[in-house]
Amino acid sequence: MSRFTLNNKYKAVVIGGSAGSFQGIVKILSHLPPDFPLPIIMCLHRLKHVRNGFVEALSIKSIMEVTEPYDKENIKKGKVYLAPANYHLCIELGHYFSLSTEEMINNSRPAIDLTLSTAAYVYRDKLIGILLSGANRDGGLGMKYIKDRGGLTIVQDPQECMIDTMPNAALSATTIDYVLKVDEIVDFFTELNKQYK
């Protein structure tokens, strides 16, 4: 019996993370079902002056292809997208990306709050939001937007996090549906995939 209450209404997954999240992301991507049907949109804090290597490192481990979207690129099922270094990544009505170099939010560009909140606006109750380890509060408000619009919210268990500021910010901002260790998030993706068979 699954511990998760799921259905096949979801249309996208958005994941935020910062310091300490890389290993968790690698584990999740390396255990994804190869036919996972939803787009996975990742906004991870990264060094703005290091443009190469990060996508490649994730792609080596990932079951699905990892790409950095370009401005106005349409969001497609079964792909993993990573916010480019030093660009805010927003999701627009019509299911496409927009990139901007506007001011930093929470001292970050890309800002997780911005990606999560724009995704919540577009996908509403058909969005799953996941927030992993991180050293600042970016993502907390974004998770509240997802919850307020009827989406499903998951944070990495703060006790497992290398730095627990980010998941704790979400837990203090809203009621989170599931607090999970990374291995349990992997199980969640497996269970979710079964809903689309």
Side-chain angles (χ1 to χ4, degrees):
M1 185 73 181
S2 174
R3 61 175 291 195
F4 306 114
T5 304
L6 297 170
N7 57 48
N8 62 359
K9 74 174 183 178
Y10 298 106
K11 301 293 185 188
V13 180
V14 63
I15 301 175
S18 184
S21 68
F22 185 77
Q23 291 307 117
I25 286 287
V26 165
K27 189 163 213 176
I28 291 165
L29 293 180
S30 65
H31 288 83
L32 281 173
D35 55 350
F36 188 74
L38 305 182
I40 297 174
I41 302 160
M42 301 189 302
C43 184
L44 307 176
H45 292 167
R46 47 197 291 209
L47 299 172
K48 63 185 179 183
H49 57 277
V50 180
R51 298 200 174 273
N52 297 317
F54 198 69
V55 173
E56 291 79 5
L58 291 176
S59 293
I60 289 169
K61 302 288 187 181
S62 179
I63 298 293
M64 296 159 64
E65 180 187 8
V66 180
T67 62
E68 292 180 336
Y70 53 82
D71 193 47
K72 305 298 186 284
E73 180 174 346
N74 288 317
I75 299 170
K76 295 186 177 69
K77 293 179 181 179
K79 290 194 73 172
V80 180
Y81 299 97
L82 174 67
N86 211 27
Y87 284 91
H88 289 310
L89 180 69
C90 298
I91 289 82
E92 305 290 346
L93 290 170
H95 302 103
Y96 66 91
F97 293 108
S98 65
L99 301 177
S100 81
T101 54
E102 292 174 25
E103 291 298 310
M104 289 185 178
I105 301 171
N106 299 313
N107 296 312
S108 303
R109 189 172 59 226
I112 298 168
D113 273 338
L114 195 56
T115 300
L116 268 55
S117 60
T118 56
Y121 183 77
V122 171
Y123 288 104
R124 304 180 70 88
D125 64 340
K126 296 175 176 61
L127 182 68
I128 297 167
I130 301 174
L131 196 61
L132 303 175
S133 174
N136 73 6
R137 300 181 64 81
D138 191 18
L141 279 179
M143 292 293 275
K144 183 179 188 303
Y145 281 126
I146 293 172
K147 184 69 177 179
D148 289 351
R149 288 185 166 265
L152 182 75
T153 53
I154 298 170
V155 297
Q156 184 179 359
D157 186 336
Q159 292 188 320
E160 183 188 59
C161 292
M162 186 182 298
I163 304 174
D164 62 11
T165 310
M166 197 172 277
N168 279 331
L171 286 164
S172 64
T174 190
T175 303
I176 296 297
D177 294 300
Y178 297 109
V179 179
L180 304 175
K181 292 181 166 55
V182 168
D183 285 345
E184 295 171 308
I185 297 173
V186 168
D187 293 341
F188 171 86
F189 275 102
T190 302
E191 290 297 319
L192 181 62
N193 189 57
K194 291 176 183 175
Q195 303 300 314
Y196 294 84
K197 297 305 179 194

